[in-house]
Amino acid sequence: LPDTLCSSVEKGDLLVVELCQSHVRTLWVTLLGDGNQSPQVMDKIFDMPGNIMQGKGEALFDFVAQCVRQFLAGIGAPQHRLPLGFVFPFSCRQTRLDKAELISWSKGFSCSDVEGKDVVQLLQSAIKKQKLYHVDVVALMNDTVGTMMTCSMAGKPCEVALVVDTGTNSCFMAKAQQVEMAEETSGEMCVNTEWGCFGDDGTLSDILTPYDQHVDQESSNPGEKRFEKLVGSLYLGEIVRHVLMALAAEKALFIGSNVAVLGTKDVLKTQQVLEIIDNEDGMAKASRALEALGLRPSERDCCRVQQICRAVVSRAAALCAAGLAAIFSHMRQSRELEHLVINVGVDGELYRGHTRFGEILQSVTRLLAPECMATLLPSVDGTGRGAAMVTAVALRVAAQRREVDQLLAPLRLSRADLQHIQALMRREMELGLGRESNANASVRMLPTYVRGTPDGTERGEFLALDLGGTNFRVLVVRVEQDGIRMASEIYVIPTAVMQGTGEALFDHIIECIMDFQLKQNLMKQVLPLGFTFSFPCQQLGLDKAVLLSWTKGFSASGCVGQDVVQLLREAAQRKQHSGLKVVAVVNDTVGTMMSCGYDDPKCEIGLIVGTGTNACYMEEMQNVGTVEGEQGRMCINMEWGAFGDNGCLDDIFTHFDRLVDEKTINAGKQSRFEKLISGMYLGEIVRHILLALVEKQLLFRGKPCPKLQTRDIFQTKFLSTIEILWDGDGDGDVVLTVPLVWGSDGLALRQVQAILQDLELQASFEDSVLVREVCQTVSQRAAQLCAAGLAAVVEKMRENRGLARLAVTVGVDGTLYKMHPLFSQHLQQTLRDLAPNCTVTFLRSEDGSGKGAALVAAVACRAAE
Ligand code: ADP
Ligand code: MG
């Protein structure tokens, strides 16, 4: 139940059906939604035929449904959709507001074929049989819950309820995340204690008297509901009867009377016991009740009987007080409060008619839980109004849920969607590889002239350059018997140089190399150099790469259409630097594959999920139509970020994706696939969804959020923080399991709230949960799309090699993949599903662009030798 429950904003017509001890009560409640505390109520009581309580379950529910039909006909109710709340005062295993399995009957009910079944469904089908197609059972609740809600409406919120009727029960509000059995994890939830069963495991045996044992033995369910049998009005008369019987046998009572009548069950009613304890005319009532049994009580007998009745009723009240005190101290502790101030709704005949019961309840509770100040609020008109309230809230929550689902639905891809995307990727790959079709493919499938992955025999010392990642670096890499050693230096490329002339840019790069060689004392040697150049290139040889376009903020003039190795060599000449031997230009995906390939020879795929996304893999030369030669394999740089640039992914593009796309420098038809997957965009997608939710009043109570209007304010790294799940024991270990496990300390929630706080957003518990759901939806889609792409790749490799099963390793790099808590898990799970005949292992690459470039150079040198 959300924290807005008591806000009286609910409105509309609601139907409530209460199943009671001997009758069914139907109510028509109109909530006005204007903060008015008293709704309009019409009600009717239907007496239940005696045989129904022990008959067939179907007959019981048919009777209830008939009551509903007669009631609606009687008041001439309109035929519009009517939500119904069902008050069902029996032990149920409830997993949702509208799903409750009956655990066991009690209170004299024993209808067949109901235990273990969903009571909501049973009522709904019975209602259909009555042709009441417009009536929906939306909530089921226990009578204690109804009582609590009814009392809440009377004024201050009421968070505990106690019912002492024929049976006894209680309920209280707890944080939903502490209720592990329920599906719900947000907000508050009412817990129905079913405390009538307390003691069924023997814990109460110390306080059970011989009289209690007799009452239990003679009941319809011996051994069960031990607590209830000490408290409920169904049993108090019986307890008194057994005490009287024992005292009469001892000749301490009714001397000279025939006491045989006391051996008959139920001759003394609880109602009589309650009259006898009365201060004023209790003695007279005692005398009359006993005489009615044919006894001849003396005045002393009546006095003793009154004492006995008081002892039994007082004990019942004190036991309830002990139960309440336990609930209070639990609530006080879990809320970490020094003092708990709380309202308790109370209902039931024992409490209602008898001030003495209430007085004992109050004073014993104070005694047992002195740090809790409880106010008992008698329920004025039963559980009906409260039930209507719960039903109304259930309805509103369900409607909001539907709206959220509708909004997020386009982002949730089905298996068929993903298979379709996999097939499209496969088609684009074929087009990209074909000599004639290459020009029309959105996936460029660029040859890299890398023909083999490392075999572990590579040795030597190499230079490497890394341009196009987050930093520009120069490295020296030593590949030796016992592993790879590296030293590197990060250099800044000023924005003016990035966007100046090509000559200035490459001059700057040569200066950095010279500085590095000086520092590393490498001036005298001529080392082979691998150049990681992470921009789309048309490669014409291992050391010949024509720049197709700049990305990532670079725009140096005179470079597009030129061979970047040539540009580097010319700059070296200008700087009179002769110690440079460029042997390979490497894309970062290739570097990633090669660096992992050194540790795992099965690594024949490279994947990047960072600022952007891309992949490469080893393709058969005979399939590569764009390069001469049929022998062996070549690594293909797919440039798959551009997948969909020809419009083939337009169907899965959502409104939010279009909004994000419109704001990018390359709006329209560039990097369509990348814009659904990579770190540069996910935060933006989330931001646009959040704005839409606010506009629909589904988030932050619809309050405008000016800061959320700012582009890129919701960073992709927030998704990682928000989606991290904490373990239940609160020791801070991150657990990567779905469904959610919230730490008892609410750490996860506080994380979300802190992030939103920075954006000047005041998030309630529900808001935080919804924001997290949005993040999960967006990151899961990204991982699944990535998997669909990879599935196309591994399946093609498997077919290429004519294998029934392919075992292959993917080397992966990129902060999004590495830092997001669930991305890799979703990726692998979806890939297993889409490519069941491939066993794919993922290996994180450590410094792929440095190490990888050196290894490409090493493999090339080895081949040349
Ligand atoms: P590049 O791809 O430029 O080499 P990275 O692999 O480091 O760089 O990726 C940078 C991207 O990773 C950024 O777009 C950023 O949004 C994203 N990112 C940074 N930190 C995290 C994180 N903790 N979780 C998810 N994504 C992150
Ligand atoms: Mg990178």
Side-chain angles (χ1 to χ4, degrees):
L1 301 172
D3 47 18
T4 48
L5 185 68
C6 302
S7 62
S8 309
V9 297
E10 318 303 337
K11 64 192 228 189
D13 296 326
L14 302 147
L15 198 56
V16 174
V17 181
E18 266 186 271
L19 181 58
C20 304
Q21 184 64 27
S22 55
H23 61 265
V24 169
R25 181 169 174 236
T26 52
L27 296 93
W28 175 279
V29 183
T30 305
L31 297 174
L32 303 170
D34 56 357
N36 189 334
Q37 297 294 347
S38 32
Q40 295 169 2
V41 181
M42 285 184 276
D43 74 334
K44 189 169 164 68
I45 289 177
F46 298 84
D47 284 329
M48 201 148 32
N51 52 354
I52 278 199
M53 286 164 64
Q54 284 90 29
K56 278 197 185 151
E58 197 179 347
L60 173 71
F61 287 97
D62 282 346
F63 176 73
V64 174
Q66 279 159 18
C67 295
V68 173
R69 186 170 51 81
Q70 279 178 34
F71 176 62
L72 290 178
I75 61 174
Q79 291 275 313
H80 63 66
R81 286 237 148 261
L82 255 185
L84 181 149
F86 186 26
V87 182
F88 187 74
F90 301 96
S91 317
C92 288
R93 190 171 291 117
Q94 196 157 5
T95 47
R96 288 199 324 237
L97 214 41
D98 62 349
K99 192 164 162 44
E101 268 176 28
L102 176 64
I103 297 171
S104 63
W105 285 115
S106 56
K107 303 174 199 176
F109 278 79
S110 60
C111 303
S112 61
D113 284 333
V114 184
E115 286 178 350
K117 300 232 170 90
D118 179 5
V119 181
V120 173
Q121 290 246 305
L122 293 177
L123 181 60
Q124 187 71 68
S125 345
I127 281 176
K128 273 218 189 94
K129 267 201 260 170
Q130 298 296 322
K131 301 201 173 15
L132 299 171
Y133 301 113
H134 61 301
V135 176
D136 296 321
V137 186
V138 299
L140 176 141
M141 73 226 78
N142 193 273
D143 52 343
T144 49
V145 181
T147 298
M148 190 175 78
M149 296 305 160
T150 304
C151 292
S152 275
M153 293 176 67
K156 289 164 284 183
C158 171
E159 296 176 287
V160 179
L162 167 70
V163 171
V164 205
D165 229 311
T166 46
T168 182
N169 195 9
S170 62
C171 68
F172 66 96
M173 295 307 286
K175 285 225 169 62
Q177 81 231 42
Q178 297 178 339
V179 188
E180 288 178 14
M181 286 176 297
E183 287 173 16
E184 200 60 48
T185 53
S186 65
E188 301 249 286
M189 183 177 286
C190 180
V191 176
N192 167 13
T193 64
E194 285 297 331
W195 76 10
C197 303
F198 177 41
D200 289 6
D201 58 354
T203 42
L204 289 179
S205 56
D206 282 354
I207 67 153
L208 294 178
T209 64
Y211 322 114
D212 300 315
Q213 302 291 17
H214 289 305
V215 171
D216 179 52
Q217 285 310 315
E218 289 172 11
S219 69
S220 61
N221 49 352
E224 290 172 19
K225 301 252 172 190
R226 299 313 297 258
F227 189 68
E228 180 160 295
K229 285 172 186 165
L230 304 175
V231 173
S233 68
L234 205 56
Y235 308 98
L236 297 189
E238 281 293 283
I239 299 171
V240 171
R241 179 176 69 84
H242 277 283
V243 180
L244 297 186
M245 218 169 27
L247 287 175
E250 302 254 339
K251 303 263 184 280
L253 275 181
F254 312 131
I255 297 160
S257 298
N258 178 1
V259 293
V261 63
L262 289 175
T264 313
K265 207 180 159 201
D266 290 333
V267 286
L268 196 64
K269 302 280 184 255
T270 297
Q271 191 50 43
Q272 292 171 308
V273 171
L274 295 173
E275 286 167 6
I276 291 170
I277 62 174
D278 196 87
N279 274 338
E280 280 170 18
D281 53 344
M283 288 289 281
K285 289 273 166 66
S287 156
R288 220 172 302 148
L290 295 168
E291 277 163 12
L293 292 177
L295 300 167
R296 280 172 298 151
S298 65
E299 200 175 326
R300 235 180 73 174
D301 285 342
C302 290
C303 190
R304 289 198 167 149
V305 168
Q306 190 179 43
Q307 281 179 313
I308 292 162
C309 290
R310 282 184 179 160
V312 170
V313 174
S314 303
R315 184 182 66 156
L319 285 169
C320 282
L324 279 186
I327 291 177
F328 294 163
S329 66
H330 169 84
M331 292 174 83
R332 190 179 67 84
Q333 275 173 22
S334 68
R335 294 176 187 192
E336 296 170 11
L337 292 174
E338 210 165 310
H339 294 280
L340 178 75
V341 179
I342 197 142
N343 293 318
V344 184
V346 194
D347 203 359
E349 54 173 339
L350 266 185
Y351 175 79
R352 223 181 293 135
H354 304 277
T355 44
R356 197 159 161 68
F357 189 92
E359 282 162 17
I360 297 172
L361 188 64
Q362 185 103 40
S363 60
V364 177
T365 312
R366 284 232 174 101
L367 195 69
L368 294 176
E371 51 306 288
C372 304
M373 265 300 299
T375 308
L376 303 185
L377 304 171
S379 160
V380 272
D381 66 345
T383 58
R385 285 189 198 185
M389 196 66 170
V390 175
T391 309
V393 172
L395 209 63
R396 174 169 58 78
V397 170
Q400 283 182 353
R401 183 69 253 171
R402 268 198 302 279
E403 274 195 78
V404 169
D405 280 341
Q406 219 168 30
L407 195 105
L408 295 180
L411 290 130
R412 297 196 165 119
L413 301 174
S414 68
R415 188 157 185 268
D417 291 333
L418 293 169
Q419 283 170 328
H420 179 59
I421 292 160
Q422 177 183 351
L424 286 174
M425 177 68 95
R426 175 65 185 261
R427 195 191 67 188
E428 293 295 308
M429 286 170 76
E430 308 281 4
L431 288 176
L433 287 172
R435 181 195 292 273
E436 271 80 44
S437 51
N438 174 271
N440 297 322
S442 68
V443 179
R444 309 285 295 265
M445 302 298 279
L446 303 171
T448 65
Y449 295 84
V450 170
R451 291 166 187 270
T453 51
D455 65 3
T457 64
E458 297 76 12
R459 298 285 177 273
E461 201 169 11
F462 306 90
L463 276 180
L465 296 183
D466 176 13
L467 183 69
T470 309
N471 299 304
F472 169 55
R473 296 181 310 155
V474 185
L475 308 90
V476 58
V477 184
R478 299 188 178 88
V479 186
E480 292 160 358
Q481 179 86 37
D482 55 347
I484 297 180
R485 289 190 179 73
M486 300 193 291
S488 69
E489 198 85 42
I490 290 176
Y491 293 92
V492 175
I493 299 186
T495 312
V497 175
M498 281 162 72
Q499 299 174 352
T501 65
E503 279 181 15
L505 173 64
F506 282 91
D507 283 353
H508 178 73
I509 291 173
I510 293 292
E511 280 162 18
C512 295
I513 295 172
M514 289 164 75
D515 176 75
F516 181 77
Q517 286 181 311
L518 207 63
K519 281 185 180 151
Q520 297 285 331
N521 203 11
L522 294 168
M523 284 310 268
K524 293 187 197 71
Q525 293 153 284
V526 179
L527 297 179
L529 183 145
F531 185 9
T532 299
F533 186 74
S534 307
F535 300 94
C537 286
Q538 177 81 54
Q539 221 156 331
L540 302 171
L542 193 56
D543 62 349
K544 200 168 166 58
V546 175
L547 177 63
L548 295 173
S549 58
W550 282 120
T551 55
K552 309 175 207 184
F554 280 79
S555 62
S557 61
C559 299
V560 173
Q562 302 294 310
D563 170 15
V564 293
V565 175
Q566 195 54 39
L567 293 176
L568 192 62
R569 286 181 183 138
E570 284 166 8
Q573 273 170 10
R574 281 197 297 275
K575 293 271 163 193
Q576 284 154 10
H577 182 51
S578 52
L580 216 58
K581 189 175 114 191
V582 185
V583 294
V585 185
V586 186
N587 184 272
D588 54 353
T589 49
V590 182
T592 298
M593 177 185 81
M594 294 296 273
S595 70
C596 290
Y598 185 75
D599 299 318
D600 178 354
K602 281 225 256 311
C603 183
E604 296 184 276
I605 301 175
L607 171 69
I608 304 258
V609 194
T611 307
T613 182
N614 192 12
C616 70
Y617 72 103
M618 296 304 291
E619 178 59 272
E620 312 303 313
M621 273 301 286
Q622 63 194 34
N623 293 338
V624 185
T626 47
V627 178
E628 297 298 323
E630 301 291 299
Q631 295 303 309
R633 293 180 183 144
M634 181 178 284
C635 180
I636 299 295
N637 166 18
M638 296 176 69
E639 288 295 335
W640 82 4
F643 176 41
D645 287 4
N646 54 2
C648 70
L649 290 180
D650 285 2
D651 283 353
I652 65 154
F653 252 65
T654 66
H655 171 62
F656 310 109
D657 300 316
R658 283 192 196 99
L659 287 175
V660 172
D661 182 45
E662 281 165 18
K663 301 278 158 52
T664 55
I665 40 169
N666 51 0
K669 294 212 173 272
Q670 261 190 62
S671 312
R672 302 306 297 247
F673 196 51
E674 181 160 276
K675 283 172 184 166
L676 305 173
I677 293 178
S678 73
M680 193 154 171
Y681 308 100
L682 296 196
E684 273 295 278
I685 301 175
V686 168
R687 186 177 70 86
H688 281 289
I689 299 174
L690 296 186
L691 283 173
L693 286 169
V694 172
E695 189 169 322
K696 284 185 177 291
Q697 313 259 327
L698 296 167
L699 193 64
F700 308 132
R701 290 172 204 87
K703 271 199 235 131
C705 315
K707 213 162 166 184
L708 202 55
Q709 303 281 354
T710 318
R711 215 181 114 187
D712 289 331
I713 195 118
F714 200 97
Q715 298 172 33
T716 299
K717 70 173 183 207
F718 294 168
L719 275 75
S720 294
T721 324
I722 287 174
E723 292 183 58
I724 280 188
L725 309 172
W726 300 87
D727 59 352
D729 57 13
D731 64 7
D733 289 346
V734 176
V735 281
L736 303 180
T737 49
V738 183
L740 317 180
V741 182
W742 286 80
S744 50
D745 54 2
L747 198 56
L749 168 68
R750 263 180 260 151
Q751 295 254 8
V752 183
Q753 279 178 333
I755 288 172
L756 297 173
Q757 186 92 55
D758 280 347
L759 303 178
E760 289 163 17
L761 298 169
Q762 294 297 329
S764 69
F765 198 100
E766 278 78 35
D767 290 336
S768 306
V769 173
L770 184 51
V771 168
R772 183 156 76 164
E773 185 180 355
V774 171
C775 291
Q776 281 169 335
T777 307
V778 169
S779 68
Q780 177 164 352
R781 181 182 66 152
Q784 288 179 332
L785 286 168
C786 205
L790 270 186
V793 173
V794 293
E795 272 298 298
K796 183 162 196 325
M797 289 172 82
R798 187 180 66 79
E799 287 172 31
N800 282 346
R801 299 172 190 194
L803 297 170
R805 280 207 77 81
L806 173 77
V808 69
T809 298
V810 183
V812 203
D813 204 351
T815 306
L816 177 58
Y817 178 92
K818 285 181 170 172
M819 295 300 289
H820 191 278
L822 293 170
F823 193 94
S824 64
Q825 195 175 307
H826 286 311
L827 170 62
Q828 292 177 37
Q829 206 173 319
T830 311
L831 183 57
R832 268 198 297 277
D833 188 42
L834 295 177
N837 295 321
C838 300
T839 308
V840 186
T841 310
F842 288 79
L843 205 58
R844 282 155 190 257
S845 148
E846 301 303 333
D847 200 358
S849 10
K851 206 159 116 180
L855 283 165
V856 173
V859 171
C861 292
R862 189 194 68 203
E865 276 161 25

